Amino acid sequence: MQPVLSKKYVNSDKELQKLCDSGLYRQAFEEIVQLYSKRLYWHIRKMVLVHDDADDVLQNTLIKAWTGLPGFRWESQLFTWLYRIATNEVLTFLKKNKALTRIPLEERLEADAPLFSGDRIQEALQEAIRRLPAKQRLVFTMRYFEEIRYEDMSQILGTSVGSLKASYHHAFTKVQKTLRELLL
Amino acid sequence: MSDKSLHNPHLKENPFTVPEGYFEQVEARWMRQLEKTALEETALEETPAAEIKDRPILRVLLPQLQLAAAFAFLFGLGYLFMVTIYKGKTDTLQTEELSILSEWSYWGLNHQKVYDLVLDDFPEEDDSHFLRDLDIEELLDYISYPGFDPVLLDSHSLNDLRNLP
């Protein structure tokens, strides 16, 4: 299983910290955007599904990261901090746009059609995930697709490893059941 | 392994795509934004120190100044009201001690001087006793004494006053 942070990220964390310690926040943030924007985008996109929404949430995430960078203490990994910001932004977005969750996935993806290349089974999987409560959806997505370690997820979501494992197990069972029903 | 199983590796593949060049755009957008921020910071650094210094102070003081001006205006209105209303009534109140003393104050009369002046005529008297029995009519007589000018009282010594005709 791929760890959340490769060596590249760990080393870059040290370099970024040096830049920030010297007050060179702009240069540090340029690096951050280059290193992390793609991963953050996919984390967001898998939760909000539609590209335009993911783009908005990513922008908000980066803005918050930029304004919060001088206050970041480097006690935790930069990536978990960025993930935490992105996750909070996603949850805020989902809360604000509750009506969206009631629109069937098929309808939502229609508007985003050119940007969804999945087949029937993949679409069914997305629908099954969409039916999960927001927090369970987060845990499932982070573990199933992004293969983030429970320890890192615990830091990002501020939940114990035990409850994350339980939550993933419940989500996995539900998604599996729904997927089978949808593909009958 | 069944296709419908979550253990199917195909299901872990990312079915979403992004518009062409999207991530490059995101980076470029941010680089532009950060460049702009840097330019703004530079412009701020080049702004004369005094100008930067003055702006926040004015911004901080403005509400207090406005409040002070409002109080001054209200106080002025109140004062004007008091002067207009009570000025006409002073004649009727002149027989009362306080009003007389107020009137003296109005003319700039020094109470201490008047007090000393009266006591000088009663050197053996006890001060407190004198004050208790202070006769306003008598005081008024002093004030209306020919040649007695309350304004000049301040600038003359008691001896000068005694030598008045």
Side-chain angles (χ1 to χ4, degrees):
Chain A
M1 186 178 287
Q2 164 201 338
V4 67
L5 285 174
S6 68
K7 252 190 175 163
K8 178 180 99 176
Y9 290 108
V10 175
N11 289 336
S12 68
D13 260 25
K14 286 175 189 161
E15 284 162 22
L16 289 168
Q17 187 178 359
K18 273 184 197 167
L19 283 173
C20 289
D21 287 346
S22 320
L24 301 168
Y25 294 109
R26 192 169 63 87
Q27 285 90 325
F29 201 71
E30 280 177 13
E31 290 283 319
I32 289 171
V33 172
Q34 280 166 5
L35 271 169
Y36 296 110
S37 58
K38 217 174 205 173
R39 292 194 69 168
L40 289 172
Y41 172 83
W42 287 120
H43 171 61
I44 295 164
R45 176 78 185 271
K46 278 169 188 149
M47 285 297 294
V48 301
L49 304 174
V50 176
H51 168 73
D52 286 343
D53 296 338
D55 183 44
D56 286 347
V57 176
L58 177 67
Q59 287 312 309
N60 291 343
T61 303
L62 291 176
I63 289 169
K64 294 236 165 111
W66 166 243
T67 50
L69 189 61
F72 181 59
R73 292 181 177 188
W74 300 93
E75 283 161 3
S76 60
Q77 292 165 329
L78 181 68
F79 193 66
T80 54
W81 179 64
L82 292 170
Y83 244 73
R84 194 159 52 232
I85 298 173
T87 304
N88 287 336
E89 286 302 309
V90 164
L91 291 173
T92 308
F93 174 85
L94 293 174
K95 208 175 172 184
K96 270 188 194 166
N97 300 279
K98 260 189 178 171
L100 282 181
T101 56
R102 285 191 283 272
I103 302 171
L105 183 78
E106 213 176 319
E107 223 173 280
R108 290 198 65 205
L109 290 179
E110 237 170 62
D112 217 27
L115 304 174
F116 184 80
S117 57
D119 53 22
R120 189 173 157 257
I121 188 170
Q122 284 175 319
E123 196 179 321
L125 173 62
Q126 291 303 322
E127 174 61 30
I129 296 168
R130 191 190 66 87
R131 291 183 188 182
L132 292 172
K135 280 185 185 162
Q136 255 184 39
R137 204 187 321 167
L138 254 175
V139 174
F140 183 82
T141 307
M142 287 167 88
R143 183 70 182 158
Y144 186 77
F145 292 112
E146 300 174 66
E147 300 184 332
I148 296 175
R149 292 183 308 163
Y150 283 116
E151 288 75 18
D152 292 324
M153 278 168 69
S154 167
Q155 276 192 27
I156 295 163
L157 301 173
T159 316
S160 71
V161 170
S163 78
L164 285 171
K165 281 183 180 171
S167 187
Y168 179 70
H169 176 74
H170 285 305
F172 191 93
T173 314
K174 274 193 215 171
V175 170
Q176 183 66 83
K177 192 173 168 249
T178 316
L179 186 65
R180 288 205 168 116
E181 284 167 7
L182 290 170
L183 294 172
L184 273 178
Chain B
M1 189 187 297
S2 156
D3 276 358
K4 297 170 191 175
S5 165
L6 282 174
H7 297 290
N8 176 0
H10 172 62
L11 284 175
K12 289 204 174 191
E13 286 169 17
N14 184 4
F16 299 102
T17 55
V18 290
E20 217 181 307
Y22 169 70
F23 291 112
E24 289 76 18
Q25 275 176 25
V26 170
E27 278 180 27
R29 206 186 322 171
W30 270 93
M31 295 311 128
R32 275 201 305 275
Q33 187 58 43
L34 292 171
E35 198 65 41
K36 205 178 143 192
T37 312
L39 285 173
E40 282 168 5
E41 278 170 8
T42 316
L44 200 69
E45 278 166 19
E46 284 167 4
T47 312
E51 209 178 301
I52 299 169
K53 214 178 165 186
D54 288 349
R55 255 183 271 150
I57 291 169
L58 261 180
R59 251 179 245 150
V60 170
L61 286 182
L62 195 63
Q64 277 102 325
L65 287 173
Q66 285 170 336
L67 197 68
F71 270 114
F73 177 72
L74 287 174
F75 180 78
L77 268 183
Y79 182 75
L80 198 69
F81 175 78
M82 294 288 280
V83 167
T84 316
I85 299 297
Y86 289 105
K87 206 180 173 188
K89 291 184 180 177
T90 47
D91 293 340
T92 56
L93 296 171
Q94 260 178 354
T95 50
E96 292 173 26
E97 282 179 49
L98 284 173
S99 298
I100 290 163
L101 290 171
S102 302
E103 192 71 2
W104 290 348
S105 299
Y106 179 73
W107 288 109
L109 197 66
N110 185 331
H111 297 305
Q112 188 60 44
K113 293 262 172 140
V114 176
Y115 174 73
D116 292 343
L117 181 72
V118 174
L119 276 183
D120 210 43
D121 281 353
F122 305 93
E124 305 304 321
E125 293 283 341
D126 173 30
D127 283 5
S128 58
H129 174 260
F130 170 74
L131 283 171
R132 271 200 308 276
D133 301 328
L134 182 69
D135 188 347
I136 296 306
E137 293 300 326
E138 210 166 28
L139 274 172
L140 281 172
D141 283 343
Y142 268 94
I143 299 303
S144 53
Y145 196 82
F148 179 84
D149 183 358
V151 181
L152 284 173
L153 186 68
D154 240 350
S155 55
H156 286 85
S157 68
L158 285 173
N159 288 333
D160 292 340
L161 287 169
R162 273 192 206 111
N163 296 332
L164 283 169

